[in-house]
Amino acid sequence: MSELTKEIQLRSNIFFKLSGAMDGNLDAIEKRCGVRLRATENGVGINGEEDNVNNAAKLIDLLVGLIGQGQTVDKVLIERVADMADEGGGDEILDMFRDAVATTARGKKIVCKTIGQRNYCKAIKNNTLTFAIGPAGTGKTYLAVALAVSAYKRGEVDRIILTRPAIEAGEKLGFLPGDLQMKVDSYLRPLYDALEELFGVSDYTDLIDKGIIEIAPLAFMRGRTLSRSFIILDEAQNTTEEQMKMFLTRFGEGSKVVVTGDLTQIDLPYGGKSGLRQAASILAGIEEIAVCHLTERDVVRHELVQKIIKAYDNAK
């Protein structure tokens, strides 16, 4: 394949933000795209095989667009944007980082960071019941909570209900010391943290006291009908088939339900069958129900987490 040289014109301040400390970002782009980059008088020069140069140019254009939106470019973002570009992103990538899912109490915008996350959020908005299945770190729970908070602030729901099976899905809370709140706090802490960040501690505490936000173990959903509520079942891989059926018959008119879980992390005792696996299988294809599968490519924690998840998958 023929060699090609291409130059992308950049203002000096944009080039500085693109290149990173000690040109670390440029090194990452070179490694990812198989090209050679050099600073020029007007921007950055790209040299290499034609396809690689064109891919690098596309990646740099996207990164420059994100810089214009206020994003900080680092090696993790470069890999993430390159992955999405390989999947045929483009303008959708810029839209994804521009459109906020929610805003925290401190004014930070929460945005989708992968195509999979964007499709997941679209599914929640467009369906009554959404299943999200995927490994840890893909934002399954956090994005669901963010959308619940946004729905509440827009007046679309009156309550936010968050639940998860406690203690290996058996929910045997009696032996733990303290009242109900103390018994379940350690299992529900990730949900508390997300809500506190999005509402602010003061508003969050007030909404808890008023019962507008309710966080409880799955066993306490039995016998209830929840209307105009945004309901999230977290760690759903640890529900039994009976528990899942019970939960999925709790919501009433005007409610939206999100069920999240990781089928590689089932802790049910004695070979119990996961209610999440069964429900996602038998309910797929029904109108107003979506099943979203997130993968290691949607992991937004440390880049090493992606490699760890992939290594475990390959070892099966």
Side-chain angles (χ1 to χ4, degrees):
M1 188 175 293
S2 61
E3 288 272 317
L4 177 67
T5 298
K6 180 178 289 189
E7 183 181 41
I8 297 178
Q9 294 189 352
L10 299 173
R11 298 195 307 272
S12 58
N13 64 320
I14 299 296
F15 177 78
F16 176 77
K17 293 178 180 179
L18 174 69
S19 59
M22 301 183 67
D23 292 337
N25 291 341
L26 298 184
D27 293 341
I29 295 170
E30 286 183 332
K31 182 178 179 180
R32 171 70 191 224
C33 298
V35 297
R36 297 180 297 281
L37 302 179
R38 58 183 175 82
T40 67
E41 184 176 344
N42 298 314
V44 60
I46 313 171
N47 181 256
E49 294 183 355
E50 183 174 357
D51 285 348
N52 293 346
V53 168
N54 289 332
N55 288 337
K58 179 181 178 181
L59 175 57
I60 290 172
D61 283 341
L62 289 170
L63 294 171
V64 169
L66 292 175
I67 290 171
Q69 294 179 14
Q71 294 289 328
T72 299
V73 174
D74 57 20
K75 294 178 182 179
V76 174
L77 183 66
I78 289 168
E79 288 296 321
R80 191 171 294 146
V81 172
D83 284 343
M84 290 187 285
D86 289 345
E87 296 173 12
D91 292 339
E92 184 179 6
I93 296 172
L94 299 179
D95 291 341
M96 184 176 68
F97 281 89
R98 184 185 299 113
D99 299 335
V101 175
T103 304
T104 70
R106 295 179 177 270
K108 176 186 175 184
K109 290 185 176 181
I110 306 300
V111 299
C112 297
K113 296 181 179 179
T114 70
I115 297 295
Q117 286 189 349
R118 183 173 176 83
N119 292 339
Y120 170 43
C121 288
K122 284 182 178 179
I124 293 175
K125 292 176 181 178
N126 295 331
N127 293 277
T128 301
L129 169 61
T130 302
F131 292 93
I133 300 171
T138 52
K140 302 184 301 295
T141 302
Y142 189 83
L143 289 173
V145 173
L147 287 167
V149 171
S150 293
Y152 173 76
K153 289 182 176 179
R154 290 193 301 267
E156 295 173 4
V157 296
D158 298 328
R159 303 178 67 195
I160 298 174
I161 312 292
L162 303 104
T163 185
R164 66 192 297 184
I167 311 178
E168 299 183 349
E171 305 184 79
K172 299 175 182 177
L173 304 172
F175 73 91
L176 292 174
D179 59 16
L180 172 62
Q181 199 69 38
M182 294 174 64
K183 291 174 188 290
V184 302
D185 265 359
S186 60
Y187 300 98
L188 303 173
R189 190 70 247 175
L191 304 178
Y192 290 132
D193 291 343
L195 285 167
E196 286 179 0
E197 181 181 9
L198 289 158
F199 275 119
V201 175
S202 177
D203 287 349
Y204 160 74
T205 302
D206 184 53
L207 292 170
I208 286 280
D209 291 341
K210 292 178 179 177
I212 292 172
I213 296 175
E214 182 178 346
I215 307 177
L218 180 58
F220 287 78
M221 295 296 105
R222 189 175 299 278
R224 304 178 63 184
T225 300
L226 303 169
S227 300
R228 282 190 57 82
S229 300
F230 199 118
I231 310 162
I232 300 171
L233 170 57
D234 191 33
E235 298 289 341
Q237 75 275 5
N238 288 329
T239 61
T240 64
E241 293 178 351
E242 293 77 13
Q243 286 175 320
M244 180 62 76
K245 182 179 179 181
M246 177 274 292
F247 171 78
L248 293 178
T249 56
R250 294 306 94 201
F251 63 92
E253 289 296 322
S255 287
K256 189 174 288 287
V257 182
V258 180
V259 178
T260 72
D262 179 359
L263 290 174
T264 69
Q265 300 288 334
I266 297 173
D267 298 317
L268 287 167
Y270 313 117
K273 295 181 179 179
S274 171
L276 175 60
R277 189 189 303 277
Q278 181 195 49
S281 174
I282 66 176
L283 300 180
I286 296 178
E287 189 175 357
E288 293 192 58
I289 297 178
V291 180
C292 299
H293 292 274
L294 301 169
T295 71
E296 77 276 354
R297 300 187 77 170
D298 298 302
V299 172
V300 294
R301 292 179 181 171
H302 192 286
E303 59 184 323
L304 187 58
V305 176
Q306 282 189 340
K307 297 177 182 178
I308 290 171
I309 292 170
K310 192 170 185 178
Y312 270 97
D313 288 343
N314 291 339
K316 290 180 181 178

